[in-house]
């Protein structure tokens, strides 16, 4: 689980940074050729894939938390409610102060639905997840087809001026106001994609009940099939999504591309996760697994740190470079930032059991009823998407 979380952190950063650096970078025919290619590749290979992986792990960890509470003789409902409330408060502070595309509050709210569905058998959970994904995909496809039929052909819409740029380049108060304004605009998107996230929660719940990651060797052949089938389906869907959203097709195709992405992203996410788990079982993959696992053990701290770094670079908290740096160097900088996080995480987990944010969440979850002499419980870390 930790290695998968650590792997997903990179994808989350690559998606979130585009919102922080310049929301219009690389869209349609605008920007340099390099920016358009970079944005196209991120849409095809990364967008919507990695927050699904985080959501899957959230659902999986839910089953571990339930077993942990049972072993400790603690009430699971109280623990879970405290955990979700703390996660929501962290998300609120994150959205207001650092990154308006926060996903933690959405996870906390949907965590209540996951709690209500905790009694579902694995097969029923998988079926419910499939219904959610297909329903959302059909809804977006219908909206896209209506837009295509009702709108006259034309070139890609010229993106408007980023009116928030000046606010983000101002002082801390101006940055907070800009975050609140943009957060308000993003809430509709969070609600729209909630079924997609909940579906991943349910798949993770089913996998946790089957102990898929703990007994991965039993499912190795299935993992190979997921890679074999998921890669071509997911990559084809990613290409269609990028063609519709980033060109050469015009803006009338945007919702159709989004619908294709909703329907096919789970296949590519499953292929990514299964492929990584297979690689980690090889001799050469063990060192990689150790590096990723260290970052995944403190994934929530790393996620919030990514937002802090982005805020310092692109807003008035620091360098105020929003809209002033090309997408290619921004993405290259993200890769460097991720490499630094891998190195720092390895040092952190050698010295401490928890990262600072994980420590807070862990202790709030345990509540006042936890005593130092209580039986040890499995430590589970909660991590986000990016928003990605």
């Amino acid at each position: 689980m930790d290695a998968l979380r650590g792997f997903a952190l990179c994808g989350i950063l690559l998606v979130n940074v585009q919102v922080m650096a310049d929301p219009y970078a690389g869209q349609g025919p605008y920007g340099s050729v390099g920016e358009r290619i970079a944005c196209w590749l991120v849409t095809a290979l990364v967008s919507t894939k990695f927050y699904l992986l985080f959501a899957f792990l959230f659902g999986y960890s839910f089953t571990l938390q339930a077993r942990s509470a049972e072993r400790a003789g603690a009430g699971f409902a109280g623990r879970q409610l405290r955990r979700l409330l703390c996660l929501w408060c962290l998300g609120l502070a994150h959205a207001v102060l650092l990154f308006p595309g926060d996903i933690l509050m959405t996870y906390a709210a949907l965590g209540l639905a996951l709690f209500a569905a905790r009694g579902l058998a694995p097969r029923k959970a998988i079926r419910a997840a499939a219904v959610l994904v297909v329903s959302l995909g059909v809804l977006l496809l219908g909206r896209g087809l209506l837009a295509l039929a009702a709108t006259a052909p034309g070139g890609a819409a010229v993106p408007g001026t980023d009116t928030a740029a000046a606010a983000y380049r101002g002082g801390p108060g101006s940055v907070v106001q800009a975050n609140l304004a943009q957060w308000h605009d993003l809430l509709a998107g969070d609600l729209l994609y909630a079924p997609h996230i909940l579906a991943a929660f349910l798949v993770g719940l089913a996998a946790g009940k089957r102990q898929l990651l703990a007994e991965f060797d039993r499912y190795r052949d299935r993992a190979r099939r997921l890679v074999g089938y998921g890669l071509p389906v997911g990559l084809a869907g990613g290409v269609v999504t990028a063609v519709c959203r980033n060109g050469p097709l015009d803006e009338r195709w945007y919702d159709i591309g989004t619908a294709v992405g909703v329907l096919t992203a789970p296949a590519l996410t499953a292929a990514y996760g299964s492929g990584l788990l297979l690689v980690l079982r090889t001799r050469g993959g063990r060192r990689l697994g150790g590096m990723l696992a260290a970052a995944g053990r403190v994934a929530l701290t790393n996620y919030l740190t990514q937002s802090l770094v982005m805020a310092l670079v692109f807003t008035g908290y620091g360098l105020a470079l929003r809209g002033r740096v090309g997408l290619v160097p921004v993405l290259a900088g993200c890769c460097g930032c991720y490499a630094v996080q891998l190195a720092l995480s390895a040092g952190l987990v050698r010295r401490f059991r928890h990262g600072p944010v994980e420590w807070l969440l862990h202790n709030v979850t345990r509540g006042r009823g936890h005593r130092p002499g209580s039986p040890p419980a499995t430590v589970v870390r909660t991590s986000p998407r990016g928003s990605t």
Side-chain angles (χ1 to χ4, degrees):
M1 287 184 63
D2 288 336
L4 288 172
R5 284 196 186 100
F7 171 64
L9 279 170
C10 184
I12 294 295
L13 178 57
L14 293 175
V15 173
N16 288 352
V17 75
Q18 294 183 74
V19 178
M20 292 291 287
D22 182 353
Y24 302 111
Q27 289 191 14
Y30 304 96
S32 69
V33 173
E35 286 180 333
R36 285 149 50 195
I37 292 174
C39 192
W40 198 94
L41 290 174
V42 170
T43 299
L45 302 177
V46 182
S47 294
T48 73
K49 285 75 174 176
F50 287 89
Y51 80 73
L52 286 179
L53 183 55
F54 266 128
F56 167 84
L57 294 170
F58 187 98
Y60 194 103
S61 68
F62 180 90
T63 64
L64 301 184
Q65 293 158 23
R67 295 183 193 121
S68 174
E70 183 179 0
R71 285 194 299 270
F76 178 56
R79 280 191 172 192
Q80 192 65 13
L81 289 175
R82 287 191 298 271
R83 186 180 189 86
L84 294 176
L85 179 59
C86 182
L87 195 64
W88 191 90
C89 291
L90 287 170
L92 178 63
H94 180 224
V96 172
L97 298 175
L98 297 177
F99 180 59
D102 169 77
I103 198 65
L104 298 179
M105 285 183 289
T106 303
Y107 273 35
L110 293 177
L112 296 174
L114 181 64
F115 182 82
R118 66 191 183 279
L120 283 179
R123 288 188 179 182
K124 289 185 177 180
I126 295 293
R127 290 170 186 163
V131 169
L132 287 170
V133 171
V134 172
S135 299
L136 178 59
V138 169
L139 173 66
L140 289 170
L141 184 61
R143 189 173 75 172
L145 291 173
L146 287 174
L148 188 63
T151 308
V158 179
T161 302
D162 181 9
T163 56
Y168 273 113
R169 294 171 189 162
S174 178
V175 173
V176 169
Q177 288 182 355
N179 281 339
L180 288 172
Q182 193 170 8
W183 179 36
H184 180 270
D185 294 338
L186 293 171
L187 283 178
D190 290 342
L191 292 174
L192 180 62
Y193 285 97
H196 215 213
I197 297 173
L198 182 57
F201 280 6
L202 292 173
V203 174
L205 178 72
K209 289 186 174 184
R210 295 281 178 85
Q211 300 188 52
L212 185 147
L213 298 179
E215 302 177 8
F216 180 74
D217 288 338
R218 290 176 51 195
Y219 300 97
R220 191 187 294 261
D221 289 339
R222 294 186 183 181
R224 292 194 181 100
R225 288 197 293 272
L226 279 174
V227 174
Y229 292 114
L231 273 180
V233 172
L235 289 175
V239 168
V240 172
T241 301
V243 166
C244 292
R245 296 177 62 169
N246 300 101
L249 294 179
D250 60 45
E251 80 282 355
R252 298 177 305 138
W253 294 84
Y254 188 94
D255 283 336
I256 293 178
T258 300
V260 172
V262 163
L263 293 170
T264 60
L268 194 51
T269 300
Y272 283 163
S274 299
L276 177 62
L277 290 173
L278 291 170
V279 169
L280 297 183
R281 292 304 193 278
T282 65
R283 182 178 300 177
R286 291 172 185 168
R287 183 175 179 181
L288 173 64
M291 296 171 60
L292 294 175
R297 281 185 59 185
V298 290
L300 186 52
T301 294
N302 278 326
Y303 170 68
L304 296 176
T305 301
Q306 287 176 354
S307 295
L308 175 61
V309 171
M310 289 189 295
L312 290 174
V313 172
F314 298 112
T315 76
Y317 288 150
L319 301 178
L321 295 179
R322 182 183 176 94
R324 294 171 171 170
V325 183
L327 185 60
V328 173
V330 164
L331 294 179
C334 287
C335 294
C337 177
Y338 179 67
V340 171
Q341 283 193 309
L342 290 179
L344 293 178
S345 297
L348 182 63
V349 300
R350 281 196 296 266
R351 297 186 60 187
F352 302 100
R353 186 179 182 186
H354 304 287
V357 186
E358 287 77 14
W359 176 87
L360 173 65
L361 187 61
H362 177 74
N363 282 281
V364 170
T365 300
R366 293 294 183 105
R368 294 181 179 180
H370 175 65
R371 302 180 302 275
S374 298
T378 301
V379 178
V380 181
R381 293 96 185 165
T382 303
S383 301
R385 125 185 116 164
S387 118
T388 62

